Amino acid sequence: MARTLRLWGPVVAYMAVIFCLSSLSVAPLPPGMSDKSAHGIGYTGLAATIVRALAGGLPRPVSLPTAVTAVALAVAYGVSDEVHQMFVPGRSAELYDLAADAVGAIAGASTCWAWGTISARPHHEL
């Protein structure tokens, strides 16, 4: 139970932060940051936390099915986030936001896959 909480707790917490930010009528973005960039960055992190949970921690090798599953879960959460925003005054559901979520999720899962692949290589002394 403790291991499950350690692995999946950050995923749930990350999703809760996204939900809370999506509940605001105006997104609290840093000056100069576009909405699409924020979506991409946010979902990069979400996918990374999902990969970490699915892989049993990082760094370790990440299989293609694990990375694809993480992207699918992050994008599914992005769909639910866009539906949620339809009910928040001042917000709306946008397909381009979902596309930015997907790009971010792919970037996050790909980075974890690459990190796992590199860290799994045997290190040779010179």
Side-chain angles (χ1 to χ4, degrees), residues 12-28 43 77 81 84-85 88 91:
V12 173
Y14 205 108
M15 289 176 165
V17 168
I18 290 172
F19 183 86
C20 289
L21 292 173
S22 292
S23 298
L24 302 173
S25 293
V26 177
Y43 279 79
Y77 191 74
D81 181 50
H84 168 234
Q85 286 183 21
V88 176
R91 301 296 287 269

Side-chain angles (χ1 to χ4, degrees), residues 8-69:
W8 288 97
V11 175
V12 173
Y14 205 108
M15 289 176 165
V17 168
I18 290 172
F19 183 86
C20 289
L21 292 173
S22 292
S23 298
L24 302 173
S25 293
V26 177
L29 300 177
M33 178 176 276
S34 74
D35 175 55
K36 303 307 176 257
S37 294
H39 275 266
I41 292 167
Y43 279 79
T44 296
L46 178 59
T49 61
I50 294 170
V51 167
R52 178 186 164 274
L54 291 171
L58 291 175
R60 63 177 37 165
V62 175
S63 68
L64 182 59
T66 296
V68 169
T69 300

Side-chain angles (χ1 to χ4, degrees), residues 65-124:
T66 296
V68 169
T69 300
V71 170
L73 290 172
V75 171
Y77 191 74
V79 169
S80 74
D81 181 50
E82 292 305 311
V83 170
H84 168 234
Q85 286 183 21
M86 291 179 0
F87 301 98
V88 176
R91 301 296 287 269
S92 62
E94 293 185 29
L95 200 51
Y96 288 121
D97 286 349
L98 183 59
D101 297 344
V103 169
I106 291 166
S110 298
T111 300
C112 291
W113 173 83
W115 183 27
T117 300
I118 292 166
S119 67
R121 286 186 184 164
H123 298 280
H124 300 287

